[in-house]
């Protein structure tokens, strides 16, 4: 069975005649335990319970057959992952998952079920159902990321919220000694937040090193340009001031340039200097394995659920295993509410009355990916991306290799930048973002959604590749661009 529900007809049913255990399962407690006047258990306690002690909360509504639940195998399409998404792929060639993601139907439906349940009895939802289910989502995400300290994982609405929490808290904790080190390739808004919060911000000029990739290809063993760039920054700072307690911000995958940073080696180097290390993992979850236990030198990792994991928008994750950093740098979430002065989860899980449906969709989405065989999905994504790059390379440059910004094993497994054909480049190489926009607009007008980037005066297309994408779509990109006239 493979039922599909359109949003209009979707009406989840509250369990009628359900056992009292389901509707009143928490019974009476002695006083308030969570925060404010919520009638829930303490969320820090729930988060730190061992698997043996913890009982996952039951869903408080009936699950329509065929929609995400334990028998998720019934729901996913066997033939075509494309229909598990709601994208209008009849009209659009959609090659820009990297920008804002695209939601899986299974998560969208689960979020809708929660919204409907909320409106049937708002107090039952907010007072009693919400917090235990948020904890369940946080526990599931922690396990998905192999977090060695599960209770160091909490939910946030998005990466921006996490970056704000960390940078404001860092500036407040370290005052005039605060020193943020990021990269010229870091996400634009992160740079603005850093400058807003801290007087001292150092930008590592990573893109100055990009040319060395081209040389390494010809000359043999590849230099680790990330390491060289970081070490040069460290060497130049050491003469002036120690970098102890400086905050180094790494990207799991950079946004505009789609390159993966070697997190293990860079965080180890930073720790030798006694720096704090944070990872912007906006493009981490699902696209690549996020195994927090393999990153012992990372103090904090922030991630988005709505990008490659394909949850509905409004769910992210913040990981910080150190209790002392939780209680200093992360003492204040970017939005403070009833949980202030209490435990890490209690401070972060509730940031005021808003729509938490995306966070509540996480278990359904994780079940979906598990049923798809995650490891295989990740392998297939990478190999499809490489095929797409080769196809565009042949179409635009007459060869498959040497056509990307970075070598393919440095580009992320699900996004890469392919150089546009020579006749679309500016000579000398001084293309601007305005030149990029004209071409992107042309593609958009022809129903191809893909971003054009200018990187150091050269124009590239940044292609995304998710499970719904097909090789024929990259052919469409090539043939559509062939019609472009300057
Ligand atoms: C590398 C990187 N960091 C941070 C963000 C911000 O994510 P959000 O807008 O979901 O907070 C993005 C968004 O695309 C990103 O690519």
């Amino acid at each position: 069975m493979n039922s599909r529900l359109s949003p209009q007809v979707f009406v989840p049913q509250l369990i009628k005649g359900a056992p009292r255990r389901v509707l009143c399962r928490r019974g009476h407690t002695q006083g308030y335990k969570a925060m404010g006047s919520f009638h829930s258990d303490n969320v820090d306690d729930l988060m730190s319970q061992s698997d043996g002690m913890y009982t996952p909360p039951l869903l408080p509504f009936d699950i329509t057959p065929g929609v995400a639940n334990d028998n998720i195998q019934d729901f996913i399409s066997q033939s075509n992952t494309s229909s598990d998404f709601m994208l209008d792929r009849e009209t659009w060639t959609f090659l820009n998952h990297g920008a804002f993601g695209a939601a899986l139907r299974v998560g969208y439906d689960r979020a809708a079920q929660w919204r409907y349940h909320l409106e049937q009895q708002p107090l039952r939802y907010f007072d009693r159902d919400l917090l235990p289910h948020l904890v369940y989502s946080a526990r599931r995400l922690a396990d998905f990321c192999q977090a060695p300290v599960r209770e160091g994982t909490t939910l946030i609405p998005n990466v921006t919220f996490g970056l704000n929490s960390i940078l404001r808290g860092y500036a407040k904790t370290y005052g005039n000694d605060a020193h943020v080190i990021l990269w010229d390739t870091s996400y634009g808004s992160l740079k603005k937040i850093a400058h807003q919060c801290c007087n001292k911000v150092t930008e590592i000029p990573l893109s100055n090193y990009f040319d060395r990739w081209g040389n390494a290809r010809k000359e043999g063993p590849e230099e680790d340009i990330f390491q060289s760039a970081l070490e040069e920054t460290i060497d130049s700072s050491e003469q002036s001031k120690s970098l102890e307690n400086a905050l180094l911000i790494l990207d799991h995958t950079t946004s505009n340039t789609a390159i993966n940073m070697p997190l293990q080696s860079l965080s180890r180097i930073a720790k030798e200097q006694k720096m704090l290390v944070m990872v912007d993992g906006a493009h981490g979850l699902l696209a690549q394995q996020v195994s927090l236990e393999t990153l012992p030198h990372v103090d904090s990792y922030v991630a988005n659920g709505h990008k490659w994991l394909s949850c509905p928008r409004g769910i992210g994750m913040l990981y910080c295993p150190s209790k002392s950093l939780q209680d200093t740098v992360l003492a204040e979430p970017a939005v403070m509410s009833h949980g202030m002065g209490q435990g890490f989860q209690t401070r972060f899980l509730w940031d005021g009355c808003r729509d938490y449906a995306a966070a509540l969709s996480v278990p359904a989405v994780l079940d979906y990916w598990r049923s798809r065989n995650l490891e295989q999905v990740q392998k297939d994504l990478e190999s499809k991306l490489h095929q797409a790059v080769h196809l565009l390379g042949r179409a635009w440059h007459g060869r498959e290799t040497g056509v990307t910004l970075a070598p393919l094993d440095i580009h992320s497994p699900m996004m890469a930048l392919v150089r546009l054909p020579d006749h679309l480049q500016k000579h000398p190489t001084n293309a601007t973002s305005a030149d990029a926009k004209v071409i992107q607009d042309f593609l958009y007008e022809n129903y191809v959604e893909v971003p054009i980037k200018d990187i150091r005066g050269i124009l590239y297309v940044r292609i995304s590749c998710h499970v719904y994408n097909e090789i024929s779509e990259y052919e469409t990109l090539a043939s559509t661009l062939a019609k472009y006239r300057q």
Side-chain angles (χ1 to χ4, degrees), residues 254-364:
T254 59
S255 178
N256 272 340
T257 42
I259 49 186
N260 264 17
M261 289 194 170
L263 300 181
Q264 283 177 328
S265 59
L266 295 181
S267 57
R268 188 177 23 77
I269 294 169
K271 273 294 161 217
E272 282 161 12
Q273 304 294 321
K274 300 197 171 70
M275 295 186 212
L276 298 174
V277 181
M278 193 206 98
V279 176
D280 175 348
H283 295 275
L285 299 181
L286 186 96
Q288 45 206 323
Q289 200 195 21
V290 178
S291 174
L292 295 170
E293 66 189 2
T294 65
L295 299 173
H297 303 305
V298 168
D299 296 298
S300 183
Y301 186 101
V302 284
N304 266 332
H306 66 252
K307 275 216 190 332
W308 299 90
L309 196 59
S310 299
C311 291
R313 266 140 292 273
I315 175 62
M317 184 195 95
L318 166 63
Y319 178 67
C320 173
S322 151
K323 180 91 176 74
S324 79
L325 286 177
Q326 286 173 12
D327 291 344
T328 51
V329 171
L330 289 171
E332 296 178 1
V335 175
M336 292 180 261
S337 185
H338 290 299
M340 285 311 296
Q342 293 179 246
F344 181 56
Q345 299 299 331
T346 312
R347 297 198 296 280
F348 272 86
L349 279 187
W350 173 261
D351 54 41
C353 182
R354 64 171 172 88
D355 185 356
Y356 290 86
L360 299 170
S361 77
V362 164

Side-chain angles (χ1 to χ4, degrees), residues 98-99 158-161 163 187 251 253-255 280 282-283 304 306-307:
N158 51 38
V159 164
T160 302
F161 187 103
L163 297 174
Y187 191 61
D251 279 281
T253 301
T254 59
S255 178
D280 175 348
H283 295 275
N304 266 332
H306 66 252
K307 275 216 190 332

Side-chain angles (χ1 to χ4, degrees), residues 46 54 175 177 344 348 439-440:
L46 285 177
Y54 178 72
D177 292 333
F344 181 56
F348 272 86
I439 299 176
Q440 184 168 333

Side-chain angles (χ1 to χ4, degrees), residues 8-45:
Q8 300 93 296
V9 298
F10 172 75
V11 181
Q13 298 299 308
L14 178 68
I15 301 172
K16 296 241 168 52
R20 287 180 67 76
R21 184 173 63 83
V22 174
L23 294 178
C24 311
R25 60 194 172 284
R26 275 171 290 284
H28 298 289
T29 55
Q30 294 285 317
Y32 293 103
K33 293 185 174 173
M35 67 187 90
S37 58
F38 287 93
H39 294 254
S40 309
D41 286 336
N42 179 292
V43 290
D44 280 283
D45 291 348

